[in-house]
Amino acid sequence: MTQKSTVEPSTWNDFLTEFSERNKGRRARFELFGQGGSVREESQEGHFEKATLGGRTVTVIRSYESQGIKKSMEDEIKDVHGVEVQFDTDGSEDTIEFMNHNGDKTVLRFESLVDGSS
């Protein structure tokens, strides 16, 4: 059974630094959950590099390979008012969720260390 944990706002910066160290190189993709039940899933998957905090904006950097060249993509998640982590059955981090003041969620889903699905 998976569990969720809310990250206290006063620890977000340190948490994201440690989270980045633990999860660097894992395959990950975004899912967006909006008001009224709308869901969108990103088709481009990348390898997680790091997440940083600047004010209420979280920046996520992932890398990928295109035609043999390593590239990176940077996504900004603005107006962050909540951070939660969901753990897989082995205790590894399965997702990190960023909520805005409207209740919309941006979820970064990692490839499972248990069964490989993402």
Side-chain angles (χ1 to χ4, degrees):
M1 174 148 183
T2 60
Q3 296 180 356
K4 281 190 176 183
S5 176
T6 300
V7 181
E8 290 298 318
S10 63
T11 67
W12 286 356
N13 200 35
D14 290 337
F15 174 81
L16 289 174
T17 298
E18 293 167 5
F19 179 88
S20 295
E21 291 171 8
R22 284 190 303 275
N23 293 291
K24 184 176 174 76
R26 288 182 70 191
R27 288 187 358 205
R29 78 171 112 210
F30 281 108
E31 295 176 327
L32 308 171
F33 297 86
Q35 294 295 320
S38 67
V39 178
R40 292 186 327 204
E41 186 173 329
E42 177 183 47
S43 60
Q44 174 71 44
E45 192 172 68
H47 291 87
F48 180 77
E49 296 295 330
K50 68 180 177 177
T52 58
L53 178 67
R56 291 249 179 223
T57 299
V58 173
T59 302
V60 175
I61 299 173
R62 293 173 295 154
S63 63
Y64 64 100
E65 204 170 292
S66 176
Q67 299 178 350
I69 299 170
K70 186 174 180 177
K71 298 183 177 187
S72 68
M73 55 186 146
E74 185 174 301
D75 295 283
E76 286 190 343
I77 305 162
K78 299 179 185 282
D79 191 31
V80 174
H81 284 264
V83 177
E84 284 188 348
V85 176
Q86 181 173 309
F87 298 93
D88 209 337
T89 56
D90 68 345
S92 64
E93 289 147 324
D94 186 41
T95 68
I96 185 166
E97 302 176 0
F98 304 100
M99 285 76 60
N100 68 17
H101 71 278
N102 291 328
D104 300 326
K105 286 185 186 180
T106 301
V107 178
L108 186 61
R109 180 172 303 283
F110 289 90
E111 178 179 39
S112 173
L113 296 176
V114 175
D115 62 14
S117 62
S118 61

